[in-house]
Amino acid sequence: MELILSAIEILMRWDVALALLTGSVGGVLIGAIPGVGPAVAIAILLPATFSMDPIVGLTVLLGIYGSSMYGGSIPAILINTPGTAVNALTTYDGYPMTTRGEPRRALSLAYSASFFGGIFSVICLILFAPVLAKIAPMFGSREIFLAALLGIILVIVAHRGQSLIAGALACFGIFLNTIGLEPVKYTSRYTFDQPFLSSGVNLIVVVLGLFAISQAFVLLTSDDERVRLTKLRGGMFQGLRELARHPRVAGVAASFGVVMGMIPGVGEFTAQFMSYTYAQKSSKRPQDFGHGSSEGLIAAETANNAVPAAAMVPLLALGIPGEALTAMMLSVFYVHNVVPGPGLFQNDMDFVVALYLALLILNVLVLAFLLFATKSLIQVVRIPNRFLGVCILTLSFVGVYSLRNSATDCLLAAVFGVVGYILKRLSLPSVPIILGMVLGGIMEVKLRAGMARVKEPFDFIDRPVAFILFLIIIIVLTVHILRVLKDRKELKEAEWQTKRSSTRFGVLMSRRRNSFLKDRGRTVRARHSKLLRRLTDLI
C-alpha cells in the first residue's frame, strides 16, 4: 500500500499531470491523422524530453504510445484508412459498419474495446509487479546478453517472408552502434579518420531519419485526397453496453495482447491476428467477420491496446526494448542515468508503479475525451498530406539540430531519411535497424562483463536462467528453420501443380485445336466439292 501511495504522490505533481494530459490528447490527435503515427511523433518529441525529468518525459511518450491506437481507429472506421499501422485490422469490420449506416456504433465499440484492453493489461501488470521484482535480480550479465540476443532473433523471425532482409538490417543496426570510440579502451572503430564519426552515430538522429523524415518524404510525394466524412448522430455510450455482451472475446483478446506484448519483437500484429482468428472460429456467426462483425472489431481493438503496457515489462525489467517505440523510450532513461533492469525494480519500484498508474489514468482520460469530442475530432482527417509532410520535415530537422547544434547530424538524418524512404517504397522493415542499434550496445557491454568469469564455452550457460534462455533460442531457431523449409516445400509443390495443370491445359487445348482444324478442314473440303458439283452441273 505504501508503494502505491508513493507512486500516486509522484503522479500528483503538476508537471507530471500536465504531461499525462498532453500526451493522451496529443496521441489521439496524432493517431487520427493518417500517415503520421506514434513513431513519427515520439521521434520528433525525443529531443525535447531530454530536458525533462524522467517521469515527465516518459509520461508524455507513454501517453502518445498508448492513446494513438484509440485515435487510429477513427479514420479506419470512417474512411477505411488506418490512422496507425496496427489499426489495419480495424478496417475489416469497422468500415463495413459505416457503409451500412452505423459509424457511431462502430466508433463507440472500438473505444470501449480499446479501453477494456488497456485497463486489463495495466491491472495484470500491477498485480504481477511483485513477481517481476523477484525475478529481475536473477538476471546477470550473461542472462541479459542472452535475452537481448533472443530479442533480436524474435524480431527477425517475426518478419515472416522477410527474415533474411530483417536479419541483414538488424546486423546493419549493430554495425552502426560500433562506429566511434569503443567503451573500454576507447579505440576508434570504423571512423575512417573522420572527426564527426568519433562520437558515433546518434540513435536519435537515426530514429528521426528512418521514421520522421522518411514519412515526410512519403507524404510530400503523395497526392492529397478528398475525404468525405459520415455525419455522426446520437451519443457514444452504446459500445460500453455492447462490449458487456461479449466478455469472452474481450477477455481472450486482452490476454493475447498482454502475453504477446511481453515477448520482444512480436507486438500488436500477432496479438491482433491470434485474437481475431480465435473470435472468428469460436463465433456463432463466423460469416459476419469482415462484413461488420462486432466480435471482430472487439477482438482487434482489445488486443492492440493491451500491448503497450505489456511491452514495458522487458524494457523496465531487463532494459530490453521489444519494438522501435520502446527503444526510443530507452534513450530517455539513458540520458537521465536511469538504468532499466533488475536494479530499477529493487531500488525504484515506486517509479515503476507510477508508470503503470499513469497508463491506467491515461486510458480513462482518453475514453472520456473521445466520448465527448469525437464529432469535432474527426475533422483532423481532412488535413492535407503535403502540409503534414512540410510540418514533420521542419520539426524533425529542428529536433536533430537541437541535440548537439550540429549541421552534420542534420545531414546524417537526411541520409537515413532517404534510406527509410527507400525501405518504405520497397515494403521492407526499418524497425530491425533501430533494435539492432539498441540491443547491439546492450549485448556488447553485457558480453564483455559476462566473459570475465567464463573459462569454457559451457560456463556461459551454467546458470538456470541462462540455460533456459539458451534453450528458448535454440527452439525458436529450429522452429523457424523448419517453417522456412516447409514453406519452400509447399511453394515448390504449388509451382509443380501449376506447371502440371498448365501442361495439361496446353495438351488439352492443343488437342482441341487440332480437332477443330480437322473439322474445319473437312467442312471446307465438303464445301469445295459441293461447289465443284454445282459448277459441273451448270456446265
Side-chain angles (χ1 to χ4, degrees):
M1 189 64 183
E2 293 180 2
L3 195 63
I4 296 177
L5 292 176
S6 178
I8 293 173
E9 186 179 352
I10 294 173
L11 294 176
M12 289 297 289
R13 289 168 40 185
W14 70 270
D15 51 352
V16 178
L18 181 61
L20 187 59
L21 181 63
T22 304
S24 57
V25 176
V28 172
L29 292 171
I30 289 163
I33 303 173
V36 181
V40 176
I42 290 176
I44 293 173
L45 286 174
L46 269 180
T49 58
F50 291 162
S51 60
M52 305 175 184
D53 287 343
I55 185 65
V56 178
L58 285 171
T59 301
V60 172
L61 301 183
L62 274 176
I64 293 172
Y65 181 26
S67 61
S68 60
M69 298 174 195
Y70 281 88
S73 63
I74 295 174
I77 290 171
L78 296 182
I79 61 174
N80 202 26
T81 303
T84 67
V86 297
N87 293 110
L89 202 59
T90 307
T91 61
Y92 286 16
D93 295 288
Y95 186 68
M97 287 187 182
T98 300
T99 56
R100 67 179 185 225
E102 299 177 335
R104 179 176 59 84
R105 177 193 171 208
L107 287 172
S108 178
L109 194 58
Y111 299 158
S112 304
S114 299
F115 176 75
F116 177 79
I119 295 295
F120 181 89
S121 62
V122 175
I123 291 175
C124 287
L125 295 171
I126 290 176
L127 295 175
F128 293 155
V131 179
L132 293 173
K134 293 179 181 179
I135 295 175
M138 299 180 183
F139 282 76
S141 298
R142 285 175 273 178
E143 287 79 7
I144 293 177
F145 167 80
L146 290 171
L149 179 61
L150 176 61
I152 287 184
I153 291 172
L154 287 173
V155 169
I156 294 170
V157 169
H159 292 86
R160 188 171 183 177
Q162 295 181 322
S163 54
L164 186 61
I165 188 65
L169 292 172
C171 291
F172 177 64
I174 296 173
F175 167 74
L176 290 176
N177 182 72
T178 62
I179 296 175
L181 300 177
E182 58 94 9
V184 178
K185 296 183 179 179
Y186 298 102
T187 54
S188 296
R189 298 186 298 192
Y190 307 112
T191 58
F192 305 104
D193 296 327
Q194 299 296 323
F196 71 92
L197 290 176
S198 298
S199 57
V201 178
N202 192 290
L203 174 65
I204 309 304
V205 173
V206 180
V207 166
L208 281 166
L210 287 178
F211 290 96
I213 296 177
S214 66
Q215 187 61 31
F217 291 158
V218 171
L219 293 171
L220 289 170
T221 55
S222 61
D223 296 329
D224 295 328
E225 297 181 1
R226 293 182 180 180
V227 178
R228 294 182 179 179
L229 295 175
T230 305
K231 291 184 179 181
L232 301 179
R233 297 176 182 176
M236 296 294 294
F237 293 90
Q238 178 184 355
L240 293 171
R241 295 190 298 270
E242 190 169 358
L243 179 69
R245 295 200 291 267
H246 302 285
R248 176 183 51 80
V249 174
V252 172
S255 302
F256 274 128
V258 171
V259 174
M260 295 298 108
M262 289 190 290
I263 302 174
V266 180
E268 296 90 350
F269 290 105
T270 306
Q272 274 185 312
F273 281 102
M274 289 179 70
S275 60
Y276 192 88
T277 302
Y278 167 80
Q280 185 175 17
K281 289 183 177 180
S282 62
S283 175
K284 295 180 180 178
R285 296 184 60 84
Q287 67 275 11
D288 292 345
F289 281 70
H291 302 283
S293 170
S294 58
E295 291 178 280
L297 188 58
I298 290 171
E301 284 296 305
T302 303
N304 64 25
N305 277 271
V307 170
M312 297 298 292
V313 171
L315 177 69
L316 296 174
L318 304 176
I320 297 173
E323 56 182 355
L325 299 179
T326 49
M328 298 179 201
M329 294 180 194
L330 185 62
S331 62
V332 180
F333 282 98
Y334 287 156
V335 166
H336 295 284
N337 293 321
V338 178
V339 181
L344 188 65
F345 275 79
Q346 288 178 321
N347 306 321
D348 297 308
M349 193 62 190
D350 55 344
F351 179 84
V352 176
V353 176
L355 287 177
Y356 284 128
L357 288 179
L359 278 170
L360 194 67
I361 298 170
L362 159 74
N363 284 279
V364 177
L365 288 175
V366 172
L367 181 65
F369 174 70
L370 285 171
L371 289 177
F372 294 100
T374 297
K375 293 181 181 180
S376 302
L377 182 63
I378 60 176
Q379 299 303 321
V380 300
V381 177
R382 298 180 182 272
I383 298 177
N385 290 339
R386 293 176 182 175
F387 175 76
L388 283 175
V390 171
C391 292
I392 292 172
L393 197 63
T394 304
L395 292 172
S396 299
F397 281 118
V398 169
V400 171
Y401 189 78
S402 66
L403 288 172
R404 296 184 291 194
N405 297 332
S406 171
T408 306
D409 285 345
C410 293
L411 182 61
L412 280 175
V415 171
F416 282 106
V418 174
V419 173
Y421 178 76
I422 294 171
L423 292 176
K424 288 178 186 295
R425 287 303 184 192
L426 296 176
S427 299
L428 298 177
S430 55
V431 173
I433 299 177
I434 303 300
L435 292 179
M437 289 188 69
V438 175
L439 296 179
I442 294 172
M443 289 169 61
E444 180 180 6
V445 172
K446 298 302 178 182
L447 182 62
R448 286 177 181 271
M451 289 300 291
R453 298 182 181 180
V454 174
K455 296 180 180 179
E456 297 180 1
F458 289 103
D459 292 343
F460 203 85
I461 55 173
D462 61 352
R463 292 190 289 201
V465 176
F467 184 73
I468 291 172
L469 289 171
F470 178 74
L471 281 181
I472 294 173
I473 290 172
I474 298 299
I475 291 171
V476 169
L477 289 175
T478 304
V479 170
H480 179 65
I481 292 171
L482 292 176
R483 188 174 65 182
V484 169
L485 293 176
K486 182 181 177 182
D487 290 345
R488 288 186 177 181
K489 183 179 179 181
E490 290 178 353
L491 181 62
K492 288 182 179 179
E493 288 179 357
E495 290 177 350
W496 183 77
Q497 290 290 348
T498 304
K499 185 178 180 181
R500 183 181 177 185
S501 59
S502 63
T503 305
R504 287 182 176 179
F505 179 76
V507 171
L508 181 61
M509 290 303 294
S510 178
R511 290 177 179 175
R512 289 186 177 181
R513 180 174 176 274
N514 294 335
S515 176
F516 171 75
L517 291 176
K518 288 179 180 179
D519 294 340
R520 186 178 179 184
R522 291 170 184 167
T523 304
V524 170
R525 286 195 296 272
R527 286 178 180 176
H528 286 173
S529 41
K530 187 176 181 181
L531 181 60
L532 287 173
R533 284 196 300 271
R534 286 185 178 181
L535 288 174
T536 306
D537 293 340
L538 288 174
I539 294 171

